[in-house]
Amino acid sequence: MKAIVSIARILVGVLFIFSGFIKLNDPVGFSYKLQEYFSEPVLDIPFLIPFALLIAIFIVIFELVLGIMLLIGYAPKFTSWSMLVMIIFFTFLTFYSAYYNKVTDCGCFGDAIPLTPWESFYKDVILLVLILIIFFNQKVINPIFPRTYHKWVVFASFMASFAFCYYVLMHLPLFDFRPYKIGNNIPEKMRLPDGADKAEVTYRWKFKVNGEEKVIENKGAYPQIEGEFIGVETSQSGENAIPPIHDFVIEGEEGDITEDILNAEKVLLIVTYNLRSTEKDGYPAVKTLSEEAEQKGYRVIALTASGEDLQNEIKDRLNLNFNFYQTDETALKTIIRSNPGFLVLRKGTITQKKHWFDASNIEL
């Protein structure tokens, strides 16, 4: 039994540390996933949505530190109880998502290892069995070094996790697993490998217009409609493949300009997915950088999912020298974890990508 508990202890501890670190690398992305769970179509607890980032930070740091506590043998009763409660909750959540097809990716390992809802559920069931073995055999969990050092190890782990979280929030994730990472060519990521059949994806955009909900279906372009944006749902026809980038469309008054932007020699993209929640402190840097880029021959545009009224309001109030264009909010959240943030493109290839806090580090 000691051998079985030791194996379970190592597997669970390492998995908790790995899962926690992957999400800690991108707490904003994990908060988006929590917002999806909190939304009305899933758990229907929208009052938690404004606190999603704080909840995400707490969960990932707690998860990572719990893994370390299990490995070193610190407070086995508290550790095993905490892990059991967490895994029961997440097993229920992944089953609910899989059975009712509510969330297509649980976010357990962020963008590093995407899992289907059923894969997430089976993973949690295996973890539950391992944690139950640990829970009912707490007495055989021995510390790996003197107990006097345990509190310092746990404290140092917490402080290091908090510091790392602060760093990625003020800059960008240290490890980028998304298709929009530096060096990737967007047009290439929009294509499927030779021989693969592309799936048809239908978008259902929801707006509140004059107090009533209106749904518009299309293939991805943000609808030009006067109303409050509520959300968007996607459905896939058949089991065919979807390219890594399948929802990158830039729409303006002149229509779809996606191809023009991706073929341009020098482009500065200012990404601000929501102008209501955008960080106003970042706009002095936005204005300075955009003016410098224009002087050096860059095409400068901003991408947002907000409506024209908000676009014009912020453009006039801050005296901005560039135009806003419409892009899907989910795509913009995927592109960069900053609102606003910057991308530098050369013929569709991402050469630089920065948080607004690091605008001065962009080389034009």
Side-chain angles (χ1 to χ4, degrees):
M1 181 53 69
K2 284 186 177 181
I4 294 173
V5 173
S6 296
I7 293 171
R9 176 179 169 185
I10 294 171
L11 290 175
V12 173
V14 169
L15 194 60
F16 264 62
I17 293 170
F18 176 73
S19 175
F21 179 76
I22 289 295
K23 293 194 287 288
L24 188 63
N25 174 66
D26 186 11
V28 175
F30 185 51
S31 74
Y32 293 155
K33 186 58 60 177
L34 290 182
Q35 290 176 25
E36 193 175 350
Y37 279 115
F38 296 155
S39 64
E40 292 181 10
V42 187
L43 296 178
D44 195 16
I45 45 176
F47 66 90
L48 289 178
I49 289 178
F51 310 103
L53 183 57
L54 290 176
I55 295 171
I57 292 170
F58 171 79
I59 289 175
V60 297
I61 292 180
F62 189 54
E63 181 180 12
L64 194 155
V65 173
L66 272 181
I68 293 173
M69 289 169 62
L70 180 64
L71 288 182
I72 67 175
Y74 176 69
K77 186 175 182 179
F78 172 80
T79 303
S80 56
W81 266 107
S82 299
M83 286 186 162
L84 183 62
V85 171
M86 284 186 72
I87 198 60
I88 289 174
F89 173 73
F90 284 112
T91 302
F92 159 76
L93 200 61
T94 53
F95 173 77
Y96 178 83
S97 299
Y99 187 80
Y100 293 101
N101 196 29
K102 292 290 186 179
V103 180
T104 56
D105 177 13
C106 75
C108 304
F109 300 112
D111 294 297
I113 308 176
L115 297 177
T116 66
W118 283 115
E119 288 172 344
S120 303
F121 172 69
Y122 297 141
K123 179 265 298 177
D124 286 343
V125 169
I126 295 171
L127 260 179
L128 177 60
V129 172
L130 294 173
I131 291 173
L132 284 173
I133 292 173
I134 296 168
F135 181 81
F136 287 113
N137 295 276
Q138 299 172 21
K139 293 181 179 179
V140 301
I141 298 178
N142 298 316
I144 61 173
F145 46 79
R147 296 179 187 274
T148 52
Y149 297 108
H150 283 187
K151 290 183 180 179
W152 290 107
V153 172
V154 172
F155 177 74
S157 302
F158 171 79
M159 293 305 297
S161 298
F162 186 81
F164 182 73
C165 181
Y166 180 78
Y167 174 84
V168 297
L169 286 174
M170 295 305 294
H171 302 277
L172 288 177
L174 193 61
F175 305 100
D176 193 349
F177 300 104
R178 286 158 287 148
Y180 295 96
K181 67 181 180 181
I182 294 174
N184 280 1
N185 181 271
I186 295 177
E188 288 180 2
K189 292 295 179 180
M190 295 173 72
R191 294 194 294 266
L192 286 173
D194 293 339
D197 294 324
K198 184 176 180 179
E200 289 291 330
V201 179
T202 300
Y203 290 73
R204 299 183 75 252
W205 305 87
K206 294 182 180 179
F207 294 87
K208 185 174 286 186
V209 181
N210 298 325
E212 296 183 359
E213 185 176 294
K214 184 173 183 179
V215 178
I216 297 176
E217 289 191 4
N218 62 22
K219 298 303 179 184
Y222 189 92
Q224 299 301 314
I225 182 174
E226 292 294 332
E228 179 186 351
F229 175 72
I230 299 174
V232 60
E233 297 176 355
T234 60
S235 59
Q236 177 183 340
S237 62
E239 298 296 327
N240 293 336
I242 296 178
I245 296 177
H246 58 274
D247 51 4
F248 186 76
V249 179
I250 304 174
E251 294 271 352
E253 291 181 355
E254 61 270 52
D256 186 341
I257 65 165
T258 311
E259 190 172 342
D260 292 341
I261 295 299
L262 295 180
N263 287 330
E265 182 64 35
K266 298 191 296 183
V267 177
L268 174 67
L269 291 183
I270 300 162
V271 180
T272 171
Y273 74 88
N274 189 318
L275 291 173
R276 291 189 187 278
S277 60
T278 190
E279 295 181 71
K280 302 297 192 299
D281 292 344
Y283 280 85
V286 168
K287 184 174 173 58
T288 300
L289 185 63
S290 64
E291 290 174 351
E292 180 187 352
E294 283 201 336
Q295 291 172 4
K296 294 184 176 181
Y298 282 76
R299 181 167 181 182
V300 180
I301 66 170
L303 306 181
T304 185
S306 299
E308 289 185 14
D309 291 343
L310 275 174
Q311 295 174 21
N312 294 331
E313 177 188 332
I314 198 166
K315 186 177 177 181
D316 293 341
R317 178 152 50 91
L318 300 176
N319 191 28
L320 300 176
N321 59 321
F322 50 80
N323 293 322
F324 284 89
Y325 289 83
Q326 212 83 35
T327 302
D328 172 41
E329 181 170 332
T330 301
L332 296 179
K333 286 179 174 180
T334 304
I335 290 171
I336 194 166
R337 306 303 199 200
S338 175
N339 186 22
F342 304 100
L343 263 74
V344 177
L345 304 182
R346 288 187 180 274
K347 289 191 174 295
T349 297
I350 301 170
T351 59
Q352 297 179 77
K353 182 177 178 179
K354 297 289 183 182
H355 191 286
W356 66 262
F357 193 73
D358 296 318
S360 60
N361 294 332
I362 290 182
E363 299 177 1
L364 298 174

